[in-house]
Amino acid sequence: MVELRTHDVSFHLAVERAVAELVRLDQGRDEAVIHLPIWLPSGTGVTVTVRRKGQLVEVSDDGGTYREAEDSMMHKSFARIAPDIVTDLGVTYEVKAFTVRDVALDRIAGAVAAVAEAAKRTFDVTVERVAERRSTEVNDAFYDRLRSLYREAKVERDFVIRGASQHEWKFSNVVSFGERRTIFEAVAPFHISIYSAVTKFQDVRQLDKPPSRYAVVQDKDELTDLIGVLSQVSNVIETRIPDTSLRKLAS
Amino acid sequence: MGLQSQFPGLYAARKTFAGQLLWTVENRDLRLQCPLEIADVTVEGLEFIGRATSQPDKACHFMLRATDTRGNYHLLERIDWRPVHSHDNKGRGPAELRHVIQRTAHAHAFEMNWVKSEDRLLTGGLPLAAPVDIDGLEVVDAFKYAAKRFNIVTGKMTFPPPPWEPDLFNG
C-alpha cells in the first residue's frame, strides 16, 4: 500500500488547487464577480458582485438569490423575509438584491461575507416558512372539513396530548369520540416538518391507549423516500382524500 | 393522476408557441413568457419562460414551466446560458459530475431530475445539471438550442434578443 508522505508535493498542490477552485473571481474594468462556495438547495452557488463607485465600492448579489427562490415559487416569501434578515448584517434589501453601499477598499471582504450570509440565510428561512405556511393552510382547510364530517364528535384545534415521555405535544386537529381520539396533522414535504411530526407521533403511539394518527400531506409524491419515515409512526393521507373515505377514518 | 405524472408527456410532446415572444421589464429583470400548444391545444399552465438580467450578453435562462390548477408551478427544464453563478450537483447524479463545480453554461435537464420509479421530479428546484457547450453561441442561437431541447418547433418565429439597454433599468 502506498502511503502519503508528509511532504507529498502532489497532495499539497491538489489541495491548493481545490482551495483556489472554491472561490473564483471574474474581474472586469469596474466590477468583479466573486463565486463563493456557498450553495443553495438547487445547487446554485451564491455570487456577489463588487462595483467601483468613485473611491468606494458597492457589493451586491444582484438579485441572483431571489431568482433561485422564484424558480421554486418562494419569491414572495423571500421578499417578505429578507428585510428582517438584513437588519443586523448591515446589508440593505432593495429590488430583489442584497447590497452594501459605500464600502471602503479595505472592507470589501467583510461586505462580501455579509451579503452572502444575508442571501443564504434568507433562502434557508424562506424554505422553512413556506413549509410552515403550507401546513397551516392544510390544517385550516382540514379543520373545516372534519367539523362538517364529524358533527357528532368533538373536533378540536391545537389539542394537547401528553406522550409516553410525559412531554405535552400540540396537535393541529383532533377528532374525539369520548376517550377515542384520532389525530390529523398536516405535514409539509420538508425535513423539518416531517421530523417534527415523526417525533410527536412516535411519543404518543407508545401510550397504553394510543390515538389513531394520520399525517395529512398535499401530495405523497413530494415526500420522496421520507414517506417511509412518516409511515413508520402514522398513516399518511392526501388532502384530496374524498369525504366518504375521510368520514370512515375516525369513526 | 397528479400533475407530476404528466410531466414526461408534456416534456416530450411536440410543442409550438401559442403567443408572441415579447420581453417585458420587471424590476431588475427582463422576462419573456409565452404559453405553449400541443396538438393545436394551448395547454393550461404550460409555458416557455426567458429571463435575463440587466447584464448584457450573459446570464440568460430559458425555462419550460408547468403550473397546476392550484397555481403551483414546477420547472421541467432550465438552460443557463453564460451564467454568472456556479452550479454543483454535490454528491448526486451521474458519477462523473459529482462534486464538480460547473462554471459555464449548463442544463438542468428534465431527464436528470426525473425520478422515473416514483413518477416525480427531484425536490429543490431541478438540483442536477450537466454542462452544455453553448456559451460560444449568441443569445438567439442559445434560444434555438433551448427550444429544440424543449421540443418546441419555432418554424418561422423569430426570437427577439433581450433588450439590454441600460436605460431600461435606470430610467
Side-chain angles (χ1 to χ4, degrees), chain A residues 88 119 201 208 249:
Chain A
D88 59 347
F201 284 143
D208 288 340
L249 299 181

Side-chain angles (χ1 to χ4, degrees), chain A residues 8-43:
Chain A
D8 188 317
V9 174
S10 62
F11 168 73
H12 288 284
L13 279 176
V15 175
E16 280 177 21
R17 272 201 297 271
V19 171
E21 197 187 345
L22 280 173
V23 179
R24 189 178 135 183
L25 179 63
D26 293 333
Q27 290 264 32
R29 185 167 168 268
D30 286 319
E31 69 175 42
V33 179
I34 304 170
H35 300 253
L36 295 163
I38 298 170
W39 307 97
L40 303 174
S42 60

Side-chain angles (χ1 to χ4, degrees), chain B residues 107-115 120-122 125-129:
Chain B
H108 295 260
F110 176 76
E111 59 267 26
M112 283 183 87
N113 291 278
W114 180 250
V115 187
R120 65 172 178 83
L121 283 167
L122 290 171
L126 302 178
L128 300 182

Side-chain angles (χ1 to χ4, degrees), chain B residues 12-18 21 36-37 143-144 146-157:
Chain B
R14 184 177 183 274
K15 296 173 276 289
T16 53
F17 289 108
L21 299 176
L36 294 168
E37 282 188 1
F143 159 78
K144 288 178 186 167
K148 192 174 177 187
R149 279 190 69 117
F150 300 164
N151 202 8
I152 302 171
V153 180
T154 51
K156 291 179 180 173
M157 207 156 194

